[in-house]
Every structure is written in C-alpha cells, then in structure tokens.
C-alpha cells in the first residue's frame, strides 16, 4: 500500500471549505486539473454519491476517474473511493477548524491511499511506486492550492 498525505491551511471557515469540496458542479471550475463532471447518482451529496470526472495528467493526457463517497461527516471528514486498473484508491479529506483572531482558518489534509488489488498492481507498485507517489503528491498540492484560491486569498501551505 502506498500513502501520500498533504496539508494546507486555508483562510476560510471549515464550513465554507466543506461547501467547496462537496459542490460537484463547481469542481471543474475550481480545480485546474478537473475537466467535465458527470454526476452518476441523484439526490443530495452524501454517502453513495458517485461521479465521473476527467483529470488532466502531467504529460498532457486526460484520465477519466469515477469517485464514490463512502463517508461524509460535514464539515470535518470526506472519504472517497475510486477503482483503477489493478489498484483501489481511498482519498480522505480532513478539515480542522483553527481560529485565528477574528477570521476562520482551516487545516485541510488530503490523504491518498493506493491498495493493489491484482498481482500486476503489486509489481507496478514495486517498480514505479516512488514515481507514482510523487505524481500523486503534486496533484494533491495542486488541488489544495486551487481550493485555497477558491476559498479566498491568503492561504498558507503547511510544512
């Protein structure tokens, strides 16, 4: 299993950050790597919500991914899963409100776990795991930066 976690402080209340995270129609507008979004399930956002989106890759190609909400605890924790070729992914967004004088500030941590589900997935993880983890980290940092911009100016990246 490969795990990558990235944290960024966003100058907004956790409730506002949560609204940005769970607004599926707005994802393609806010996240520079996200393309068209197709919501696959009817009803309000929550466990069982599924969608498909195109994601821009570092080499300029696009990849279509499907996401399923497995846990939604507003405004603190959002857990998504996505299946890939020989690997299952679990993406956890954790929001922790941090008060800073009179303005809200939220520590946002996104954790990406990759679990090989087929023998070739394990081999690829052994051979290319470090490169894949670096690419995932870059993508997560980009998504967090986009989220911070959408939430308002002045966010600060965590060390």
């Amino acid at each position: 299993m490969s795990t990558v976690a990235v944290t960024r402080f966003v100058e907004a209340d956790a409730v506002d950050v949560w609204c940005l995270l769970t607004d599926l129609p707005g994802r393609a507008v806010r996240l520079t790597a996200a393309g068209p979004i197709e919501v696959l399930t009817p009803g309000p956002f929550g466990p069982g919500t599924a969608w498909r989106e195109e994601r821009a890759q570092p080499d300029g190609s696009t990849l279509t991914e499907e996401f399923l909400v497995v846990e939604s605890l507003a405004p603190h924790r959002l857990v998504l899963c996505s299946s890939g070729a020989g690997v299952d992914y679990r993406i956890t967004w954790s929001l922790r409100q941090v008060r800073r004088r009179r303005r809200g500030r939220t520590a946002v941590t996104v954790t990406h776990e990759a679990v090989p589900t087929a023998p070739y997935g394990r081999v690829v993880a052994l051979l290319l795991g470090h490169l894949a983890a670096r690419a995932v980290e870059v993508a997560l940092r980009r998504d967090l930066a986009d989220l911070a911009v959408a939430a308002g100016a002045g966010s600060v990246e965590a060390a």
Side-chain angles (χ1 to χ4, degrees), residues 6-133:
V6 178
T7 298
R8 183 178 185 118
F9 292 100
V10 176
E11 298 298 331
D13 287 327
V15 171
D16 296 332
V17 176
W18 180 264
C19 289
L20 292 170
L21 277 178
T22 60
D23 172 24
L24 295 180
R27 277 178 75 82
V29 174
R30 273 189 299 284
L31 302 179
T32 56
I37 307 291
E38 177 187 1
V39 179
L40 303 173
T41 53
F45 187 93
T49 298
W51 73 93
R52 182 178 299 128
E53 72 181 54
E54 288 184 16
R55 299 283 296 182
Q57 301 301 295
D59 66 1
S61 66
T62 59
L63 173 68
T64 301
E65 293 182 294
E66 284 189 19
F67 296 96
L68 173 68
V69 177
V70 293
E71 184 181 340
S72 176
L73 180 60
H76 307 288
R77 183 175 160 89
L78 175 62
V79 181
L80 311 173
C81 68
S82 179
S83 294
V87 126
D88 283 343
Y89 302 100
R90 182 178 180 93
I91 302 102
T92 302
W93 292 83
S94 301
L95 285 68
R96 183 175 49 85
Q97 184 74 45
V98 179
R99 285 283 167 210
R100 186 174 174 208
R101 298 191 186 183
R102 293 183 184 198
R103 295 179 11 198
R105 189 177 208 201
T106 303
V108 181
T109 300
V110 59
T111 305
H112 185 281
E113 299 170 280
V115 180
T117 57
Y120 64 87
R122 289 178 183 87
V123 171
V124 170
L126 281 171
L127 297 175
L128 301 175
H130 180 69
L131 291 174

